[in-house]
Amino acid sequence: MNPWPAMHSSAKHDDSQLATVIVTVRMEDAGDRDYTFKVPFKIGRAEECEICIKNEFVSRSHVSVSVENGEWWLNDLNSSNGVYVGDERVPRVQLKEGLIVRLGVRGPEVRFRVLKPVVAPPPADTKKVKSDYVQHYFGKGDTKRPAGEHTMLIRTVFAEVQKKQKRQYGGVIAALVGVMVCLGGFALYQYHQVSKQWAMAKDIFYSMKTLDIDIANLQDAVKASNNQQGMEQIKRIEAQRGEMENSYDHYLASLHVYSPKMSEQDRLVLRVARIFGECELDMPPDFVAEVKKYIKYWQSSDRLERAITRARANNYTALISREMLAEELPPQFFYLALQESDFDPYISGPPTRKGIAKGMWQFIPETAVKYGMHLGPLVDMARPDTLDDRHHYEQETVAAAHYLKDLYGSDAQGSGLLVMACYNWGEDYVLPLVRSMPLNPKDRNFWMLLQKHRDKIPKETYDYVFYIVSAAVIGENPRLFGFNFDNPLANLDAQSQVNGFGKTASSENWTP
């Protein structure tokens, strides 16, 4: 159906003192169409409207445009889909030059131009002209110094020229002040717009985090019941999250968060934090510098390169990546195992009140049993035990992935850095502190934990988190940081790349 039926106008009069309104209606599939009015009119889907638009988002009588106190105003006629200026729904708005409104969130765009009537200047006042002429040529001169008529005339003319120059300069200065005020107002407007976009982007990000938690918990329930309807629901939620992620990346680009002036090292720090579930827009100002400090610690020894070499030689990289992706976790948790054991499956930790941690992932006895592992007869001895499942790295890696997934869906609210803190210090210590904070992802992350409870967090746990994050940053582009090996996670298989976590931070198509 043609969305542009003929325009109707029931107006019979013409008010020459009223501004002319030019209306441009834009439709994606029909191009633009212009209308001109000097009298009130309506826009809607009904034929009796002066501007009739056949569109599903337009109500029968959507808006009216009328004159109030000599100014044009647009009023929403209680339409179903509303009227939007930018991202804000408005009940009414004054027509200004260049105003753009949208009829419904996804409806047609309407642009207004207001042409003020040309007012003829008043006729010249003959008496005033004569008075100015006399004053111009016969104004007072210097009475203390007699002069001839010719000199007096020159003095008079010169004095008038000076006065005119002062007025001209005053006008120029006033104009410059006006320009500065306008520029300041525009800068203030831009600042408010950027602040608004910044806040909207953060709201989208933390809404995604809420969906992540819902998906994680729903997946556990669906797996337990094998519910087909639940699986379909998960797919719908995941599709919704994908749309939100695209919107968030769009905001990052428009806000120039990853500016061209930013160094590649700084970019990697932000991207890795994003991979672990932290918001680029909410990171502390000293976070990048703190991560770089721990990168220097790694650069001061060969520990990282030796551990990566061991992981590759024993194919731990592929195993860990596969199990993390199977639980929809970032494969960069690979570096958590590095921090725990340097990828040594036979290592034993020191005796603690909860027993001796063993294996590549350093499970304590209680957690090992909880995740289905059998303890060996040497459970209380700090030595390898072939009958202890914790030394079977395949089985322990599967258990570690399940454990990390459970932490993600807990009160940690999808914060990867909080998950690391729980893994190191123990969820029984971290989560009670987390639960003392507001119940939403925006207020439950590692930064807020440090801000509210820094004196209670052990230095070992603080170091633990930053060692993992900094190792993950180095791993994305080792040679950029002076290491002689390649990204151990760069060769994930194509199926893994389908999942957003399968993309490394240095992937070109990942860049916001």
Side-chain angles (χ1 to χ4, degrees), residues 1 16 102 206 268 289 333 349 396 446:
M1 179 181 293
S16 61
R102 187 175 291 278
Y206 289 112
L268 287 179
F333 272 115
E396 193 183 27
F446 189 63

Side-chain angles (χ1 to χ4, degrees), residues 304-374:
L304 180 60
E305 191 160 355
R306 284 189 293 104
I308 297 298
T309 300
R310 172 183 289 172
R312 281 179 163 162
N314 292 280
N315 204 28
Y316 297 153
T317 305
L319 168 67
I320 294 172
S321 299
R322 183 180 69 245
E323 295 303 326
M324 294 300 160
L325 289 170
E327 294 297 334
E328 296 190 348
L329 294 171
Q332 283 77 7
F333 272 115
F334 167 82
Y335 298 98
L336 188 147
L338 183 152
Q339 181 62 18
E340 286 286 346
S341 66
D342 289 345
F343 301 114
D344 183 355
Y346 300 106
I347 194 172
S348 296
T352 69
R353 65 183 186 84
K354 289 200 171 186
I356 297 174
K358 292 189 177 185
M360 182 187 296
W361 296 91
Q362 288 290 280
F363 270 73
I364 60 172
E366 177 185 352
T367 309
V369 172
K370 179 179 178 181
Y371 285 89
M373 285 184 283
H374 175 75

Side-chain angles (χ1 to χ4, degrees), residues 275-286:
I275 287 174
F276 281 124
E278 309 299 339
C279 179
E280 292 103 323
L281 305 177
D282 236 3
M283 294 180 193
D286 57 347

Side-chain angles (χ1 to χ4, degrees), residues 365-500:
E366 177 185 352
T367 309
V369 172
K370 179 179 178 181
Y371 285 89
M373 285 184 283
H374 175 75
L375 303 179
L378 304 181
V379 62
D380 294 324
M381 301 179 66
R383 55 176 294 180
D385 184 353
T386 57
L387 299 179
D388 195 316
D389 289 341
R390 291 175 291 174
H391 291 306
H392 300 163
Y393 65 85
E394 299 96 338
Q395 188 173 347
E396 193 183 27
T397 298
V398 172
H402 288 166
Y403 181 35
L404 291 169
K405 180 65 174 290
D406 288 345
L407 290 175
Y408 249 91
S410 70
D411 291 290
Q413 297 282 288
S415 166
L417 275 61
L418 273 185
V419 168
M420 297 174 198
C422 289
Y423 198 100
N424 174 258
W425 192 24
E427 58 191 286
D428 292 340
Y429 295 101
V430 176
L431 294 185
L433 298 179
V434 172
R435 294 185 187 113
S436 69
M437 299 187 288
L439 184 59
N440 62 71
K442 184 176 182 179
D443 294 313
R444 284 195 176 183
N445 53 45
F446 189 63
W447 330 123
M448 298 304 295
L449 180 69
L450 291 177
Q451 181 178 324
K452 295 181 180 296
H453 303 291
R454 181 66 183 92
D455 58 329
K456 299 178 182 177
I457 307 299
K459 184 178 185 303
E460 176 191 343
T461 300
Y462 182 91
D463 291 340
Y464 181 89
V465 171
F466 277 96
Y467 269 119
I468 294 172
V469 173
S470 56
V473 172
I474 294 171
E476 295 305 302
N477 191 348
R479 299 183 190 280
L480 180 66
F481 298 93
F483 290 88
N484 190 30
F485 60 91
D486 295 321
N487 183 349
L489 304 178
N491 296 320
L492 299 177
D493 59 75
Q495 181 60 35
S496 298
Q497 295 288 340
V498 174
N499 185 308

